[in-house]
Amino acid sequence: MRTKIVAGNWKMNNNLSETNTLIESLKSQGNLGSTRVIVAPSYVHLAQAVSLTSDSSIEVAAQNMHEAKSGAFTGEVSPAMLSSIGIETVILGHSERRAYYGENDATLAKKVDNALDHDMDVIFCFGEELEDRKSENHFEVVKSQISNALFHLKASAWAKIILAYEPVWAIGTGETASPDQAQEMHAFIRNLIQDQYDASLADEVSILYGGSVKPGNAQEIFSKQDVDGGLIGGAALNAADFTTIIKSI
Ligand code: PGA
């Protein structure tokens, strides 16, 4: 059985007291069921978030990390730094990192390797832009993003990989891929992994959908066979909304 996961990417939102409040209200929502729940606050609040969630099943992830192990990279954060404060999961390849900070497949392949070297789980994001979909190039784009950054991995490394399909045109826009569009892409991705590795590995990989998931549409999207949960942006900033999304699985 694949693991069901709902992860909240808080992006550059919430100061320290807002971070505390949001985590405390998530904890007060009661039993979140068997779904793996992950929140990704800003770097500066990660240690505090790890401490606040230590008495709950909520996990804490980083939104990014550097591809090098250490060195003269002013302003950057290494996986060893994250590990040392109890972070075991990192989001890599978010479209905002690709668009605004020039992260490409080659850099992301290095980041993935570095995270795995530190025994971290990786939530690897990818997805096509609107132009790609309009020109019916979306499958090719997704194929190259996944194969360039991940297909050098040994089969055994995939136990640490969580995929997150996030069509760029659906992120923060209020426009969601239809449940059928999500299912179609997720099935394509699973086939891709099966072709490169094997059917049992493909069957074990959790593939999340991200892009304007809200309490009102989560259930229908999550009901699709190859959708194993979601990566949530805006709606993850509200404890009640995030909880409703978690419980929609
Ligand atoms: P959104 O963001 O839910 O606000 O569309 C999703 C994401 O960027 O991961």
Side-chain angles (χ1 to χ4, degrees):
M1 258 274 274
R2 287 194 289 276
T3 310
K4 301 283 187 191
I5 302 167
V6 175
N9 174 10
W10 294 5
K11 308 190 180 181
M12 197 174 72
N13 294 294
N14 291 337
N15 62 24
L16 180 59
S17 81
E18 289 161 343
T19 297
N20 293 345
T21 306
L22 183 47
I23 289 177
E24 289 302 347
S25 35
L26 275 178
K27 280 167 49 175
S28 70
Q29 304 287 323
N31 186 358
L32 298 175
S34 59
T35 301
R36 188 172 167 193
V37 176
I38 303 172
V39 293
S42 144
Y43 281 140
V44 290
H45 303 135
L46 288 176
Q48 169 79 356
V50 167
S51 143
L52 282 178
T53 53
S54 61
D55 58 352
S56 79
S57 59
I58 299 169
E59 298 173 43
V60 181
Q63 298 174 18
N64 180 35
M65 49 153 255
H66 199 265
E67 62 271 26
K69 301 218 180 307
S70 64
F73 300 101
T74 302
E76 291 294 328
V77 171
S78 73
M81 293 171 186
L82 296 172
S83 294
S84 72
I85 58 163
I87 296 294
E88 295 172 348
T89 304
V90 62
I91 298 172
L92 294 177
H94 191 280
S95 63
E96 287 149 18
R97 299 292 319 168
R98 295 176 190 256
Y100 307 142
Y101 305 101
E103 293 192 4
N104 58 30
D105 295 343
T107 315
L108 289 169
K110 288 186 200 152
K111 289 194 181 206
V112 169
D113 288 344
N114 202 9
L116 296 179
D117 283 349
H118 289 81
D119 208 27
M120 297 175 78
D121 287 353
V122 172
I123 301 177
F124 183 78
C125 308
F126 52 88
E128 82 281 2
E129 309 219 4
L130 186 57
E131 283 312 305
D132 303 317
R133 187 160 276 267
K134 279 188 180 156
S135 58
E136 296 185 3
N137 207 24
H138 45 298
F139 292 116
E140 274 313 303
V141 168
V142 163
K143 181 178 179 181
S144 72
Q145 288 172 326
I146 293 178
S147 57
N148 291 343
L150 299 176
F151 278 0
H152 65 285
L153 297 177
K154 286 193 202 127
S156 58
W158 278 80
K160 309 290 287 176
I161 303 289
I162 299 157
L163 298 179
Y165 168 56
E166 298 205 306
V168 178
W169 47 272
I171 296 178
T173 58
E175 193 163 338
T176 324
S178 71
D180 286 341
Q181 282 174 320
Q183 168 57 28
E184 184 186 34
M185 183 57 88
H186 285 220
F188 170 79
I189 295 161
R190 218 177 284 290
N191 275 329
L192 210 62
I193 296 167
Q194 176 171 338
D195 289 348
Q196 178 72 17
Y197 296 91
D198 60 56
S200 74
L201 191 155
D203 195 46
E204 282 299 308
V205 179
S206 295
I207 310 178
L208 316 185
Y209 169 79
S212 299
V213 177
K214 305 276 181 250
N217 60 21
Q219 194 163 15
E220 207 189 343
I221 296 173
F222 294 165
S223 70
K224 293 294 175 183
Q225 193 188 334
D226 287 293
V227 178
D228 306 307
L231 180 55
I232 320 299
L237 298 173
N238 177 294
D241 286 354
F242 192 55
T243 306
T244 304
I245 291 171
I246 295 163
K247 291 183 176 167
S248 303
I249 289 216

